[in-house]
Structures are given as structure tokens and as C-alpha cells.
Amino acid sequence: MADYKTKQRELILEYLKSSDSHHVSAGDIAAHLRESGTVGIATVYRQLDKMVEAGLVRKYSLDGGACYQYVGGGGDCREHFHLKCLNCGALIHVDCDFLSGLAPHILEHHGFEVDNRRTVMYGLCRKCREEGK
Amino acid sequence: MADYKTKQRELILEYLKSSDSHHVSAGDIAAHLRESGTVGIATVYRQLDKMVEAGLVRKYSLDGGACYQYVGGGGDCREHFHLKCLNCGALIHVDCDFLSGLAPHILEHHGFEVDNRRTVMYGLCRKCREEGK
DNA sequence: CTAAGTGCAAAATGTTTGCATACTT
DNA sequence: AAGTATGCAAACATTTTGCACTTAG
């Protein structure tokens, strides 16, 4: 039941960590790792599933397929919001009183219980906006 | 350039409207329309693309494929928020001063420009919550 | 008549699975 | 030794595309 520590898992996790600031697809990972020895695409998917399950990695279902991003083991991000840049893929964690009041407001006034772990606000980050995207 | 009014388009749109309260996949539409005469899956995808483009329909990229939902022609939903129930799929449009202040707040304090048309908050709607999901 | 739309089948993606082999513990 | 993980290739599911044919304007 416990996860074994294999070379492939280490390579995948390492690549995900090094891509911390943006998301990558399973294909990106496989392509990158083709250089550092062989890691089959099936293994990439299987390991990603486990990492998502374990909360180490976050999965985003986007148009052309899913993307993954390392979010670390600490905390489950339940209490703050996530902004994701549609241009560069950066994931921004936001902690802010105004936003913390959002979920309670929606629950009280609209009867809807927001799940912060699943909710991401999409748009353009400062850098991409300034570069005129 | 203008959209022609074809029987297939009418059937697809009618089905989407009748499913107003929840989302459906391209496969759902094709399966349903197999009863009322034949509509090829390719046509379903091509029409859906146009409807999304025109703002009549909203597309959600989810895990097992995309889902679509009729949102009507009035307004482009740029100014209000969307809540989507993960259990029943209901899409709730919310107009509210508190929420209207959200995007400006994020832009000003966090430098991020939220795109309301692409952003959906996921969680549980009142009905599903009361049914103890 | 012309532009646009349609169906079908083939192709292109992205993801999952079966199975024999190899690695971790 | 027992339990997992891996690679490969095949299987799947979803979406897109090429092409000849039909239909709306």
C-alpha cells in the first residue's frame, strides 16, 4: 500500500518541483524525462494520480488535456484562494481578509458552499498583463 | 459568415435549453438526438463551438471531457459570478455587490485581472447540501 | 448559385489498462 | 518472498479533420 521510492517517481517529482511556478502536462513530463533515461508515459500518469491523491500535486482539467502543478505537502490550501494565469500558467496563492470573507458570504447569502480546493480564478497575472497579453 | 438555421442546430439548441439547469457533454447531446433523427457527432461539436463563440453556451473542461450549458444570449456574464455545483451540475449566476467588488479588489491589491467569463467557483448548492451530500 | 452545414469515416489527441518483467521493502 | 512499480503496446474516449454531398439564403 505504501508508495515505493523509485527512480522514476523521484525524477517526476523533481521535475514538478522545478516547474513550481507553472503547470505542466503529462506529456511535458514524459518529454523532459526522455532525456534523463526512460520514463514511460504510463508511469507518469500513474505517479501523477498518486501525487494528486496524496495532495502533493494539483490537477487542472483544461481544454487540451490536464495539467499538473506541485503544491507541496504543507497545508491543504483550504483557507485561501488561487489565481491562475491563463497566459503563463502561474498559480498564485492569495491570503487576504477580503477574500477570506468570500466563502462565508456566499454560504450565508447565496446558500452555496464553495470548495476552495477545487476553485480557481482564471485571468492574467501582473507580469503578463504588463507585457500586454 | 452568418449562421444558417438548420434542423440540426435547432435540435441541439433545443436540447441544451431543456437541460438549462445542468450541463451536458457532446456525447449526451448526440445520444439524445439519435432518437429524433440523426445528428452526427461532428455536427454537434461544430455547432457547440459556434454557440460557445457566440456566447450562447458555456463550455466547461472537466475530467472526462468537456460539458456544455446554455446560458442564453442576454449579456455576456462578464459582470457577475458563477457557482457550479459539483454534485448536480447546476450553474448559478450570482449578482451581488460584494462579489462585484471582488475582481476590482484582486486587480488593485494583487495585480491580477480576473476573467469572470472563465472563472467558476465550485462547491455544493443548497439543495445538495441539505440532502447531505 | 454560393456559402455554409452535414454525415461519415479516418485521424489525431490524451488517458487507461493488461501483462510480463524488474525493483523495493 | 511479497507487494509494488515499470515499460510497452494495445485499448479507449474524446475531439478534430478531409471530403463528397445537401441545404439555407
Side-chain angles (χ1 to χ4, degrees), chain A residues 1 4 6 38 40 43 46 50:
Chain A
M1 206 68 193
Y4 285 1
T6 64
T38 311
T43 295
R46 288 190 274 229
K50 294 184 182 184

Side-chain angles (χ1 to χ4, degrees), chain B residues 15-61:
Chain B
Y15 181 61
L16 281 164
K17 283 181 183 170
S18 78
S19 312
D20 199 359
S21 63
H22 59 289
H23 58 201
V24 293
S25 69
D28 292 338
I29 298 173
H32 175 82
L33 295 186
R34 205 154 294 141
E35 300 162 12
S36 16
T38 310
V39 179
I41 187 74
T43 296
V44 172
Y45 278 108
R46 289 189 274 229
Q47 283 296 342
L48 282 172
D49 277 353
K50 294 185 182 182
M51 292 171 187
V52 169
E53 182 79 17
L56 280 178
V57 167
R58 196 171 260 252
K59 176 179 184 178
Y60 302 94
S61 294

Side-chain angles (χ1 to χ4, degrees), chain B residues 24-131:
Chain B
V24 293
S25 69
D28 292 338
I29 298 173
H32 175 82
L33 295 186
R34 205 154 294 141
E35 300 162 12
S36 16
T38 310
V39 179
I41 187 74
T43 296
V44 172
Y45 278 108
R46 289 189 274 229
Q47 283 296 342
L48 282 172
D49 277 353
K50 294 185 182 182
M51 292 171 187
V52 169
E53 182 79 17
L56 280 178
V57 167
R58 196 171 260 252
K59 176 179 184 178
Y60 302 94
S61 294
L62 302 175
D63 237 37
C67 282
Y68 301 82
Q69 183 162 24
Y70 182 75
V71 292
D76 62 0
C77 292
R78 210 180 287 231
E79 61 295 317
H80 59 252
F81 262 85
H82 297 91
L83 311 175
K84 187 157 197 69
C85 182
L86 287 165
N87 187 234
C88 71
L91 179 69
I92 303 160
H93 301 246
V94 173
D95 245 316
C96 151
D97 286 346
F98 184 84
L99 292 173
S100 299
L102 187 56
H105 166 90
I106 292 176
L107 181 55
E108 188 174 335
H109 292 80
H110 308 287
F112 188 94
E113 183 178 1
V114 174
D115 183 342
N116 280 11
R117 285 167 306 177
R118 300 251 218 160
T119 298
V120 180
M121 318 244 279
Y122 290 98
L124 278 183
C125 73
R126 186 183 322 232
K127 188 166 64 66
C128 289
R129 197 156 39 77
E130 285 170 355
E131 285 170 2

